[in-house]
Structure formats: C-alpha cells, structure tokens
Amino acid sequence: MKVEMRVWRQDGPDAQGKFESYPVEVVEAMSFLEALDVINEQLVEQGQEPIVFEHDCREGICGSCGAMVNGRAHGPGDRSTLCQVHMRQFKDGDVIYVEPWRAGAFPVLKDLMVDRSSFDRIIQAGGYISVRTGSAPDGNAIPIGKAVSDEAMSAAECIGCGACVAACPNASASLFTSAKISHLSLLPQGDPERSRVLEMVKVMDDEGFGSCTNHGECSSVCPKGIDLRYIGRMNRELLRQLVHPSKGQLA
Amino acid sequence: MILDSQEPTGPIETRWERHRQSIRVVNPANKRKYTVIVVGTGLAGASASATFAQLGYNVKAFSFHDSPRRAHSIAAQGGINAAKNYQNDGDSVWRLFYDTVKGGDYRARESNVYRLAQVSVDIIDQCVAQGVPFAREYGGYLANRSFGGALVSRTFYARGQTGQQLLLGAYQALSEQIGKGKVTMYSRREMLDVALIDGHAKGIIVRNLLTGAIERYAADAVVLATGGYGNVFYLSTNAKASNVTATYRAYRRGAGFANPCFTQIHPTCIPVKGDYQSKLTLMSESLRNDGRVWVPKNKDETRDPSSIPEADRDYYLERIYPTFGNLVPRDVASRAAKKMCDAGFGVGSSGYGVYLDFKDAINRLGEKNIADKYGNLFEMYERITGDSPYKKPMMIYPASHYTMGGLWVDYNLMTTIPGLFAIGEANFSDHGANRLGASALMQGLADGYFVIPYTIGHYLASQTGGFSDTSHASFGDTEADVKAKIEKMLSINGKRTATSFHREVGKIIWDKCGMARDKAGLEEALGRIPAIREEFWSNLCVPGTGSSLNQELERAGRVSDFIDFSEMMVRDALTRDESCGAHFREEHQTPDGEARRDDENYSHGAVWEFTGDGNAPKRNIEPLKFEYVPLTQRSYA
C-alpha cells in the first residue's frame, strides 16, 4: 500500500521548520519506524539528508522514539511507543502528519529530535535512594507486601519518552515526575528521603514545564499506562512535606 | 602480546578476598586527585560511574544517547541470577559457579566465574536498597523463577522488565552523583578512539553528535562499558545503535580482542517477516518455564496450530532432552530449532519458526496467573504479530542476542593496554563459549558495582594522578586519524547507503558464521568480506557534513568497523577447529548432534592482536586451567 508522510523538517533549534511530503510504498507488517527507514534510504541514495529521528531498542522500552502522528503522541496505537506502531494501523492512501514533541522544555534539535535532558535534571534533583554500594542489608531483610511492591513497580515502568509532556495542553511533566516520586515513596527504602518531592517539583517548574490541570491526556497516550493517580500521590507528598518537612516516617 | 591473567592461586573460595588484600589501594584523601573516564552508561558503566564517585574519584561519563537511561541494558526482560538460595532448593555460590562454567562449555576462567557467583548475592541486596521493585511473594519476600540451563530457582525479576528496573536503579545512582557534581555526564558523545601516552590509556577522542565537534578528554584511566557486537549480523535483538566501534578501535590501538566468534543466538525471538526488517524482537526465555516448544510431526501440516491434536505434535526438546526439557541452555535450544526447520518441520510463512505453546500452563495455572508472569510479553507479541498467545501458540525462531567475546581482560578487568579497562558485555571474561540466561545483568552489575571499584585502585595507585594534558602530541595524532576517517567517508559521494552494506555483510555472517559454522562456509565468508570493504570505501554515500548532527555519518562509521570486525570474527571461528558452546562447527559434533570440544588443543581463550591494516591479525592464546570443575562432555539429556 502507498501512504504519504508529511514530516516536519527543521534544521536546528533556531531554524524555521516546515512539512515536507514523502510518498512511500509500505507493507502492513512494517513498523512505523521501518517506513521512515525506507524514506531515509531513498533520500540518502539521492544524496539528500535523511529525516533525523531518535530510536534505539525498537521494542518499546528505551524511550528514545516518539513523534506526534496525526496529532497524537506515538500515533494511533493503544499503549504503544512509536516503534510499536505498525503500518497495518493505516490504510492505503492515508496522509500521515509526523511532528516532533512540542514543548518549551523540549527544544527541537533537528527534524523530529528534541532535547529531553530536562527529564534527567528532574531525576538528578532527588529521583533516587541514596545508598552507597556495599552498604545494603540482605534483600529479604525488609519484607514488602506484594500489593505495595506491585504498585511501586507500576509507577517505575515509566520509560521517560516524554509523550505525556507532548500530549498535555500545558506541557506539564507531572506524570513523569509523579511516577518516580510514587515509585520511591511507596517503598520503605525510599521513606527516609521523602522530601525529594520538594526538590524534584522545583526543578520541574524551573525547567519550564507547565502545571497539571487534570486533562488526563498524558495518561491516555502513555505507552506504559502510567496512571493519573500518581499525580494525586505526588501532590499529597508535596503537601505533606510542606506541612511536616522531612517527616517521611510519620506520614 | 603478554596475557598475564593476574588471577590468584590457592583455594578458589578465598581467591577474591585474598586478591583484594594484596592489591594496592588509593588512600581515601587521594582519590579526589584521580579522574576516571567511563565510556557507556548501561548497567556496567552507570554502576561503575556511580560507585567510583561514591568512593571519591572524579568521573567523566560518556554516552552516545541523550540520557544514560536509554542504554540497551534496559531491554533485558527475564531476570538476574543470584546464589541466594532463598528457595531452599540447594543453590549455593558453588552451584552457580559450576553451572556457569559448565554452561559456558569450559571456555571461561574459573577464578573470574567464582568471583561472579560470590558477588551475585551482593547485587540483589544493593538493588533492593536502591528501590528496584523486584517481584515478591504475598509474604513480602523476594520471588524467584528458574531459567534456562539451571536446576534451581535463582532468578530475580521485575515483571518482564528486569533490565529496565536494574538500569534505572543504576541510572538513579549515577544521577545522584551527577547532581552532586562528582560525575560529569557527557551525553550525545560517541567515542571514536583512545589516546595512549607511553602505552597507557590516558584519554579518549569523541565526536559531539549534536555539533559534530571532535573533542579530547583526558583522565588517569579509561573504562569501556560499551556493550557487545551482536549487530554484526545486522538483524539482531540488539538496539539499533549498539555497535563495536569503541572496542574495535581500542583493539586497533593494541587491546587484545578475545573469542570474537563466541556469539549467542537466543532461541525465542519473533521470526523475520521481510527484507525491510530493521531488527528482531526477543521474547524472554523465561517463557520456556511454562511454554512448551513443538513442531508438527507432519511436514505438510496445514491446520491451525490450536486444532492439531497432541498425537501430531512433536515436543522435540522434551523428547530429546528429558531432564531439562524446554529449559535446555540457549545454544542447545537454538540449534534444535534450526535443525527441525532445516529438516522441513518449521512453521510460519518462511518455514523458519517453531511453536511455543502456553495452553497446558494456562489450563494448569489459570490465565490470570500466566498473565501476571508474562502479561507484558504476550502483549508485546500480539502488538507485533497481531496474534494473541493466550489463544494461539507463539511462533519463535532464534536470533543474535548477546556476544560472549570481547576485549580480553585480566582478573582486574584491565585489557592488554595498561589503564584501559573493559566491563560488562564489552569484555570476554565470564561466560566462556555460551552465556546462561539471566547472567548478563548479573555480570554487568558485578563488574560495575563490586569488581572494578576495587581493582581500578590497583592501577591508579601506580599513577601519579591528575593527568589532564590534552595538548599532548598523542591526542593530536589520534584526533587526526579520527578526522581523516570521517573526511574520507564524507568525500566518497557514492551510491549506496551505510545500511545496505551492513545488511550485506550481516547476511554473510549470519549464514556462514551464525548458529552453525563449517570450514568451507567460513572460508567463503573470509573471501567475500574484502570486496564489501572495498566497495564501502568507494561507493558509500553520506549526505550532509561532519560539522553538524549527521546520523548517517554515525551509522557509516559503525558499519565500517563492523565490516572490519566481521573478518576477525570469521577468522576466529575458522581457527577454533572444535565445537564449544555457541560456537558450533558442523565438523565437530557427537553422534547425537551436540558440540564436541577439543580440550587437548582448544582449552584456551583466543586473543587477537592488531598488526596493521591489510595484515592478518595475530592469534595469541591464554591457556585455561580447570582445577575445580572437571572437564566433561556437556550433556543436557
């Protein structure tokens, strides 16, 4: 089948971008990124610069890929990253618009590639448990109920792709930030440093991400289905820390 | 080339402890005078960087990704082994050691493997303390599963995303140190060469992938944690960017490269669909705990798999290997699948697939239980193929997955270049000729958290520290080489893409140096690679410039190294005239089709030495001693 990809091309962060049209012959079993590969191979053979896009594992776990496809982050899949979308989800003759994530805190670097280092800085502000290598007690020393452990795992599944930010009308990073805060604050090991929420939220704001106004777009496009309830948990953590600074144990 | 393994002697149980007593230590107050470069921030690199920083060293960490969290370690699904014996099923450090040496078909160094088994228990403790949400039982204690090649249940896991959770644990530990300023993180930098001063590794040359600038960085030691070379086959389960460039270029500077022909083919991947295929997807082999592998007994079978009666199915792994059944090691399972398909029993459009069936497990344990264990894997499979494994057996086929070969390292994880270390998949040390399931994560973290933080001190203590002179002539010469290569690729202006060359060489390597190899095929491959190289350097097309973001240029550089590397890999397979583990030479098999080793002549690591462009590399050997695990014919029947 044949589709027309209209892809955002932009030379650099300060350059003016525009859509370029690429008609391409594809097969249904092809992944979306493989369709982009086909276009790129043809461009290179013609001596033209290929479309820049990020990707790596191509199995939905590294969080590298992502683009707005027909206005939806990661395209038409349900709980999919862009690399997990297949051309059978389109039909012959479709016109497909492909754009980078749009958010002030994610400047476009080139074409579909954006700078998501702001996510790293949020984690650096407190998204960890301080434990020196070698000083850990036996793994079974602290029993953790299966329900709590499972809930922490569900929050920890975030792949840091940034679709939540791209989908949010406010470009908020609340889902991303709250997932890490929830993962760590749910576990007894993370309890002593529950004031992390203060630093992480501050960096999130300083990086220029917007506030959460409960649209829920983030969760609906999240490839890992990270739930909105974690944002509620983050807000509770924040309130608790504002009222009782550093009193994780009492919470 | 001198290959001094530096391994301790005496009772194996205390070798690591005694070694730590005997090596030099850097005084805590002096550690801040030393800087270490770590290239690659996956499991091994991130854990090493974080731990170096905790100890007080200054760290410069490099990644070609935008963030350390993207490293390919993240894709490991199944689990991580540790000899905790939480299941009370008789596991021990000894048993894990034994299983690993035997599983590797007696081509690993005993001292290293014993140490790996010893520190495995500390890794779990460390990761739990970091908040890694390992699966737990209802009582709140850690859960385990069994994994291919083991008779005990020693694998810890976090749903089907164990690698992700362990990497995020290491990434978070690294992030803490970046936030505190002890680690400087250089992301989107690709290492293109290592700078030697008086024979010691004292820095690296990198390309800034955003600006194209060639940059120099100096340090007192360099650690490569740059992963494996499984993408030499083009199609593999590795991430697209995974490559051999860092280790191959270190080899060109004098680091011995050991056992490049030891590559693991993973038995449970989704079969190839078409020529446009860009990579293959692995389905965790933990699926073999509950899934049963079969093919139809009838070659002309056309029925839907669910309607084929038991009597017409051949559960060939259970039939041939009654003790281990579906849990035989990876190489055995992979070759068995190939054999069934070559004999015409394969399924799927290409005929290169076998069924992995969960019907019995679902009947026995219930769909909910199976979904808890494998839900996300089933979802991933359905997303790619459109079929639900709850209703229809999966179709699987082997694919390149992991590489046991890598830079030769001694017991301190130092390569043959003083001051240059290799950890994780980038080195060759622990898995011999075949890696057991759930051992890659274990080795990456063992090296990063618990081995190199001690052993690097031994080297650093011999150095004055504080080396920072990037204006040294050696940096200039090395940088000039890097620039010349880039300029050459940009100036060819030919007709073919780097990927097209990668596909071409990858197919030859898969066909001739893949799951099974023979002399004629290997010689044929060796004859064909030079022509590909020649065409690459005369007909490559790389649009754009070197002084800006240019993904095609990045690809071309990696492909050029894969072409050169593939030749060494084939040479290694050809000169290792025996079968062992994943290296299966058709000429050397037992009557029942198992790998037949030749311990008399090949009980050694083969270490390749670069002798200049256009010259054949020199093969050196490190003889292996087996004092604790008696050499026996590996049998899983």
Side-chain angles (χ1 to χ4, degrees), chain A residues 33-176:
Chain A
L33 297 186
E34 283 167 349
L36 288 181
D37 289 342
V38 171
I39 295 173
N40 274 349
E41 288 270 295
Q42 290 167 0
L43 287 172
V44 173
E45 279 164 5
Q46 293 157 16
Q48 295 177 41
E49 287 198 42
I51 300 159
V52 172
F53 64 96
E54 291 200 89
H55 63 95
D56 200 20
C57 77
R58 297 203 176 192
E59 49 190 70
I61 193 73
C62 73
S64 297
C65 71
M68 301 300 282
V69 175
N70 289 338
R72 185 179 154 85
H74 287 307
D78 177 35
R79 290 190 60 176
S80 291
T81 54
L82 188 58
C83 63
Q84 293 175 306
V85 170
H86 285 74
M87 295 315 289
R88 60 173 165 266
Q89 290 162 271
F90 299 90
K91 55 183 194 306
D92 188 45
D94 273 358
V95 175
I96 305 167
Y97 284 87
V98 191
E99 297 170 75
W101 293 159
R102 307 271 190 200
F106 287 168
V108 173
L109 294 171
K110 192 168 182 177
D111 299 342
L112 304 176
M113 181 197 264
V114 300
D115 178 0
R116 289 170 288 192
S117 56
S118 45
F119 270 10
D120 287 325
R121 290 187 289 276
I122 292 173
I123 299 299
Q124 286 157 19
Y128 49 79
I129 290 169
S130 306
V131 49
R132 199 172 42 254
T133 304
S135 57
D138 186 84
N140 260 346
I142 312 167
I144 303 172
K146 186 171 189 306
V148 171
S149 175
D150 284 351
E151 178 72 351
M153 177 66 201
S154 294
E157 287 188 83
C158 168
I159 57 172
C161 64
C164 48
V165 173
C168 176
N170 308 332
S172 169
S174 290
L175 193 68
F176 168 81

Side-chain angles (χ1 to χ4, degrees), chain B residues 375-420:
Chain B
N376 70 310
L377 298 172
F378 281 21
E379 201 182 297
M380 185 193 271
Y381 181 85
E382 185 170 359
R383 215 186 280 284
I384 293 171
T385 62
D387 291 328
S388 164
Y390 294 105
K391 302 194 176 68
K392 207 173 162 179
M394 282 184 174
M395 259 191 284
I396 54 163
Y397 197 68
S400 157
H401 171 58
Y402 184 90
T403 54
M404 284 74 67
L407 291 178
W408 183 89
V409 289
D410 63 15
Y411 192 68
N412 292 322
L413 305 182
M414 191 159 87
T415 67
T416 53
I417 297 176
L420 182 71

